[in-house]
Amino acid sequence: MSRFASIAKRVATSPAVTPCVLALFLLLYVGIAFGSNEPLTALMAITRGNVALLALLALVPLSGAARLVAETATFLKRRRMFSGVAGSDPAGLFEEAVALPEQAPFEGEGERLGGQGYRVRAGSGWLSAGRGVTLFPARFLYLLGVTLLFSGLLASLTGRATHRQVVLEGEALPVSRDLVQRIVLKEEPGLLLQRTLDIAVAVEGGGERHFGLYPPGKHRGYYLYPRYLGVAPLLRFSAPDLPGGFEQYAVLSIYPPGKEDTFQIPGSPYRFIFQMAPGEGPDPYASGRITLQFRVLKGESQVFAGSAPLGGETSGGGYRVALPEFRRVVVTDFVQDAGVPLIWSAVALLLWSLCWFVPVRLLRPRQEILVVRHAEGVSAFSRAEGGRRAHAGRFHDLLDQLQPVAGGEP
């Protein structure tokens, strides 16, 4: 292997690549945070349009894949050596290596190691002893998860397409003819949030699908990400200079209470500013008992103001505002994103890795001893994935048993 290839291999398989790249992005995020109210969104936008930053981010999955290959190869080499297969170079495979004279008689030590809980295997010129369960599956799942996670992030940054649309009760989804039957916000704590959202859709051809806040549901090739809640009251408005009146559903993004939204009466100088009135007790959006506060502007001058519950009306000064019915609204991002399956697969792999690592590391970590006779003498190797102090004591006890005889003492 050339010097350049050797250096490239060491860099690619270095555990420092991922934290260094993430530290650089963290510094960039902190810098953006001083001048932006949405630093994460700004960072994603900057990264998406910068080839150098994309290349830097790509180092993480490349390093993860290289480490995955390297650690798998190391694990398989170590297994072959434990099975007595000759020809493997032990360099870098074990944490401790001790050279012993050729006359060191280790073949009889298997019974003593077996009594200490090791599973012993022996052959001509070699002896291996191991106990516990290896953490390699957890490492494999972790590195694969990291590789998929950052591959997914890279795919999302470079190929994500987002279309923000209004999902309205009683209307078809924007990307299909499937009918939105109901939108329900419940004050029932979920896994991550204190409220749950359910969008029930009657699928064309029969059946019903449900979409919530997480994980994102997929429909007709689009992932659905609910962003904002709102209401669409049927607005009936009449004014002295608007004798024919006006009637239309007004889509308002006014949740949570206190948030304002405007609605312009088409073809007229009238503009409404709506706000959901805060109430005591249950969440008004979840309960359906919603009162809207509004101001009516003609041009830039306010001509009327008041409030009315959904299902009610109010009037005064020649103006009448009625809200006989309403529909719930969810402003939703319809996203085409090849990175989503990779990201969710990575989350599952990382959870599986943790479920393997924690019990094994705490209860039965892998500990290994290998003694091999070769032309130059005898070499003893040791490694432990947990319980290193106790394992090291047993390994050095083995060396103490071999050293006196090797040194010629009686």
Side-chain angles (χ1 to χ4, degrees):
M1 182 182 295
S2 67
R3 182 179 179 184
F4 176 78
S6 177
I7 294 174
K9 180 181 177 181
R10 286 200 301 271
V11 171
T13 57
S14 172
V17 171
T18 297
C20 286
V21 172
L22 295 183
L24 289 173
F25 275 93
L26 178 60
L27 289 174
L28 185 58
Y29 173 86
V30 171
I32 294 173
F34 284 105
S36 173
N37 293 328
E38 296 184 353
L40 182 59
T41 302
L43 175 61
M44 293 174 64
I46 292 172
T47 304
R48 186 180 291 112
N50 190 297
V51 176
L53 290 177
L54 289 174
L56 186 64
L57 184 62
L59 290 178
V60 178
L62 290 175
S63 175
R67 290 174 61 194
L68 182 63
V69 171
E71 293 203 19
T72 301
T74 297
F75 174 78
L76 294 176
K77 285 180 182 179
R78 192 182 300 117
R79 291 301 90 203
R80 286 198 296 269
M81 292 191 69
F82 251 65
S83 300
V85 177
S88 296
D89 183 5
L93 301 181
F94 296 89
E95 297 168 349
E96 191 171 358
V98 178
L100 299 171
E102 186 176 358
Q103 65 269 29
F106 62 85
E107 289 81 1
E109 296 296 322
E111 183 176 350
R112 188 170 63 85
L113 290 172
Q116 295 176 341
Y118 289 87
R119 182 174 178 269
V120 179
R121 303 173 67 181
S124 177
W126 63 276
L127 181 147
S128 64
R131 56 182 286 171
V133 180
T134 180
L135 292 174
F136 174 74
R139 289 288 300 166
F140 184 91
L141 292 172
Y142 168 76
L143 291 173
L144 182 58
V146 169
T147 301
L148 292 181
L149 176 62
F150 284 92
S151 296
L153 291 175
L154 195 62
S156 293
L157 287 172
T158 56
R160 180 186 179 105
T162 302
H163 308 280
R164 183 159 292 182
Q165 303 284 348
V166 173
V167 175
L168 182 65
E169 281 182 326
E171 300 289 340
L173 278 175
V175 296
S176 69
R177 291 185 294 179
D178 300 328
L179 183 66
V180 179
Q181 292 184 311
R182 59 190 176 276
I183 298 171
V184 180
L185 180 69
K186 297 181 180 179
E187 295 193 64
E188 297 177 355
L191 181 62
L192 300 176
L193 302 175
Q194 293 301 310
R195 296 183 176 93
T196 57
L197 178 70
D198 178 58
I199 303 173
V201 178
V203 180
E204 187 179 20
E208 185 176 272
R209 291 199 61 191
H210 294 266
F211 301 92
L213 292 174
Y214 60 87
K218 190 175 184 180
H219 188 66
R220 311 288 185 180
Y222 290 86
Y223 292 98
L224 274 64
Y225 291 88
R227 294 303 186 192
Y228 308 105
L229 300 180
V231 293
L234 179 60
L235 174 61
R236 291 175 181 167
F237 173 64
S238 60
D241 56 350
L242 200 64
F246 171 81
E247 180 175 325
Q248 182 179 314
Y249 281 99
V251 177
L252 305 173
S253 180
I254 53 174
Y255 184 84
K259 182 180 178 182
E260 290 186 344
D261 198 4
T262 62
F263 182 78
Q264 180 75 41
I265 302 295
S268 81
Y270 289 103
R271 177 166 56 97
F272 279 78
I273 300 177
F274 283 100
Q275 184 181 52
M276 185 182 296
E280 297 181 358
D283 184 283
Y285 194 93
S287 66
R289 294 190 290 272
I290 300 173
T291 297
L292 295 186
Q293 299 171 336
F294 59 86
R295 291 178 289 144
V296 183
L297 278 67
K298 185 177 182 180
E300 297 301 323
S301 302
Q302 179 173 310
V303 295
F304 184 55
S307 65
L310 294 179
E313 64 177 74
T314 186
S315 60
Y319 296 93
R320 177 177 175 271
V321 176
L323 307 169
E325 61 181 73
F326 79 100
R327 299 175 181 178
R328 289 180 174 84
V329 169
V330 180
V331 179
T332 304
D333 286 346
F334 290 81
V335 179
Q336 290 177 306
D337 191 344
V340 170
L342 297 177
I343 293 172
W344 282 99
S345 298
V347 171
L349 290 173
L350 292 173
L351 288 175
W352 290 344
S353 171
L354 186 65
C355 290
W356 183 286
F357 177 85
V358 172
V360 170
R361 179 65 176 78
L362 293 177
L363 302 177
R364 287 185 56 79
R366 181 69 175 171
Q367 301 165 351
E368 299 174 339
I369 294 174
L370 175 67
V371 186
V372 180
R373 190 183 303 277
H374 47 82
E376 293 78 16
V378 174
S379 294
F381 305 94
S382 169
R383 67 181 296 271
E385 296 173 342
R388 285 180 170 82
R389 181 175 297 179
H391 175 72
R394 291 187 288 268
F395 178 61
H396 290 121
D397 284 344
L398 172 65
L399 297 179
D400 291 341
Q401 294 294 321
L402 299 179
Q403 288 287 3
V405 176
E409 295 184 12

